[in-house]
Amino acid sequence: MLGLPMKDTTSDGEEKGIHDTNTVNGEDEDDDVPPLPTPRSPRPIEDPDPLHAPPPSFAQSEFETVGTFDFIQRELYSPSPYRRLYDVNETINLILSKSLTFLPVFRIWTIYGNSQLGWGSTSYVELTPQDLELASRRLAEKPILLDALRASSIAGNGMYGSVFYAFPAVAVAAGIFSPLALLVACLILFLFRPILRELGSAIRMNGAIYSYLLQCSGKTMAFVGAAAIFLDGVATASVSAATASAYLSGEFGGVLSGMRESAVALGILALLAMVGLFNLRGSSALAASFTIIHLATMAIIMAASAVTWARHGSETLKANWELRPQGSSAVAKSTFYGICIAFLGVTGFETLPTYIENIKPASYPVTLDICIYTVLALNAPLMLLVYAILPTSDILSGGNILSLLAERVAGKWLRILVVVDCMLVIGGGGVLLGMIAMSSMLQQLARDRVIPSAFFQTLPTGGAHWSIMLFFIIAVLLYASSGFNLSTISSVFAVTFPTVLLLYSVSAILLKFDRHRLPRNYQANLGGTVFAFITMVVVLAGNIIPTPKILGLFLAYFIVVLGTLVGLRSRVKLARIAMWLYDRNPVLQRWKWTKGWESGIVRWMVRLQKRPVCLWVKGDDIYNLVEAILYVRKNEMTSRIIFLHAYENALDIPSEMEANSRILDEAFPGITIDLIFLKGKFNPILVEAVSEKLEVPKSQMFMNTMGSSHGFDLSDYGGVRVANL
């Protein structure tokens, strides 16, 4: 082996694929122990019948000729004669048979798991013109994308409808300075407009900060983003349903009080879940209709209020001004806390990237602009009209501010219209927004094998039924755990929304430093990105300092969600712990309810790890290959890695690639490393064809960070992940 040490032990002290049947835990056993099955040759990627296999193509012949010549020229060592692979079924049947019951249960995983690893192989996979043509057709099948109006209406229902629940809270905190607080809160969104544009340009994938952090960092940071989006979506829906119910209760003089009010909120959640199940494809049209009705209603109120103000003058506004806080410090304090609370009135903006793949690329910047400028033209002017028409005593009375304003300027009919509008835009559009955001993220998690693939399934109507049902259950549990209290659930929301925007700025900073070579058509200023980060820290502090207990409440929910996601990624480790505990507890091994669990746990662990992960490699630098393996081992549950190398000329294949692949297969005993060569130019069509050929989803493929001269964007590869290889 030219001085190379031969790998003959695994991490458990056993040769990879070889097991000593005469010793167990260092003790000699009887000679009548049955021998292990007959060893077989290493597992190939493809094993056609040699008698009926078609003749090799010219490309395959060229590859094998050049490869053989290069192999002899470099005097590569031959495969070790001790490399063996046992048949999976024979091995597990032998291990679980009565003849091997002397083995400790925990060693079953060592024997059975390692028996499947085998040794990696090098092979050539040829893609036919038909394979490439089918791949090209699949990539050409684009879903119907949303224009700017429909895309903005989904997030806009949360942003524009916030006037119903943000105005009372802002009025309490800022008083007469509420219009100023709302104006500044809307202007803060301009800090995040370039950030979302750059992130959306470089990483055009659903999932928002989960996808951004996954591409720029790893799964640990990505799970932090996923937990934040998860809570944000559920809290948005719960707060929207509870607000609509409270609005009805306020209109009917408290008739819908106590559990009746909560029952209305639960009914709203259930109704919108049913709508999502049976008509999710039409949800954008439904959201757009809600938005149009709401904006039309707000336009009527503003016009009627302006006329009333012009007729009666500014006496009410002057009287309200006299009640302002006295002293510069009191003014600054009330304005600051008012801004922090008013910022919650632009919620919904953070959900736009969760469905970015469904928006036309050219419409995404326009969608951001529509959302920002609409809420800028709505919130502050409308609040100014409130203080110009209504006295402070009415504003702080606890009633529905906009309903009072509508009746004062136009009569009962406008008040009824406002109530109907609230039920549509908050009770309908707000809940729908949270459901879409959470469903999109759950589907992304399922695509990345974090949660079961069932969450990726959809009904013929377009509804992701498992995702929507989980959304409904979690929303109900969150609302119930708060004691069906709108104030409590709103406190969670007061932290989740700024946290999500904070993580957007973190994603943008990581993108600039760790993925700066990714192609993009827009770049945000680094100074502006850092300033946006600092601003969100200040806003978070402003919401937490007055009521510190909301931080503990948020962390309680956040830790549960994050712990669940981390646990799902660590299923194999948890199963090993369960095996160890089972092995140390003879009672569980004899109890009829738990007897035989070891075989099920072992099969489950093997099933989780047998799915391969593919790494597209360009060069043969062993340091880069090791870094790639370590990245995969840290982030994925797999015991098999496939190196993929695309070449156009066989003479251009890196000379040490096959040798280094075998060395790494020796160096990582717990992972089988295969090397596959493919003739063709690396591009989205080739990746799509290989994904179909090897039956490996593109979300389980990794590639190096591409440069601006590559000619394709990351989104063109349909979910392939980036790692610095």
Side-chain angles (χ1 to χ4, degrees), residues 259-272:
M259 288 302 296
R260 288 189 177 183
E261 185 175 316
S262 62
V264 173
L266 294 176
I268 292 173
L269 289 172
L271 177 62
L272 267 295

Side-chain angles (χ1 to χ4, degrees), residues 644-667:
L644 300 173
H645 177 74
Y647 68 92
E648 296 184 72
N649 190 330
L651 297 175
D652 295 332
I653 296 176
S655 59
E656 299 299 322
M657 182 165 287
E658 183 179 0
N660 289 344
S661 175
R662 295 190 178 187
I663 291 173
L664 294 176
D665 193 34
E666 298 271 357

Side-chain angles (χ1 to χ4, degrees), residues 346-514:
V346 295
T347 180
F349 182 75
E350 81 283 5
T351 63
L352 273 169
T354 60
Y355 55 94
I356 188 174
E357 290 183 36
N358 305 103
I359 304 174
K360 296 178 181 178
S363 299
Y364 185 61
V366 181
T367 302
L368 295 173
D369 291 339
I370 291 176
C371 289
I372 295 175
Y373 285 107
T374 302
V375 77
L376 184 65
L378 177 63
N379 286 13
L382 185 57
M383 195 61 164
L384 178 61
L385 292 170
V386 168
Y387 273 91
I389 305 299
L390 298 178
T392 300
S393 58
D394 289 348
I395 296 174
L396 302 181
S397 64
N400 300 328
I401 294 178
L402 293 184
S403 295
L404 294 174
L405 179 65
E407 188 171 10
R408 184 72 56 87
V409 300
K412 192 70 174 179
W413 69 271
L414 187 55
R415 180 166 187 159
I416 296 174
L417 179 60
V418 168
V419 174
V420 173
D421 174 47
C422 176
M423 294 301 297
L424 291 177
V425 75
I426 293 294
V431 176
L432 191 64
L433 169 64
M435 180 173 60
I436 291 175
M438 182 175 167
S439 298
S440 176
M441 192 207 64
L442 288 175
Q443 288 186 320
Q444 198 67 30
L445 288 171
R447 184 181 300 171
D448 294 333
R449 293 178 176 173
V450 177
I451 59 179
S453 59
F455 286 93
F456 199 63
Q457 300 173 1
T458 58
L459 296 173
T461 58
H465 49 288
W466 292 114
S467 298
I468 293 175
M469 285 190 286
L470 180 63
F471 156 79
F472 174 72
I473 293 172
I474 299 299
V476 171
L477 289 176
L478 184 65
Y479 188 33
S481 65
S482 67
F484 300 104
N485 187 284
L486 176 59
S487 177
T488 303
I489 198 69
S490 297
S491 65
V492 178
F493 186 59
V495 181
T496 56
F497 172 53
T499 300
V500 170
L501 289 180
L502 180 72
L503 291 174
Y504 277 129
S505 59
V506 172
S507 302
I509 293 172
L510 291 174
L511 177 65
K512 290 180 179 297
F513 283 95
D514 292 340

Side-chain angles (χ1 to χ4, degrees), residues 522-554:
Y522 184 89
Q523 291 197 33
N525 180 270
L526 178 60
T529 303
V530 174
F531 183 67
F533 174 84
I534 297 173
T535 302
M536 281 303 98
V537 173
V538 173
V539 170
L540 270 173
N543 285 324
I544 293 173
I545 291 174
T547 52
K549 67 177 183 180
I550 69 173
L551 178 61
L553 190 62
F554 165 77

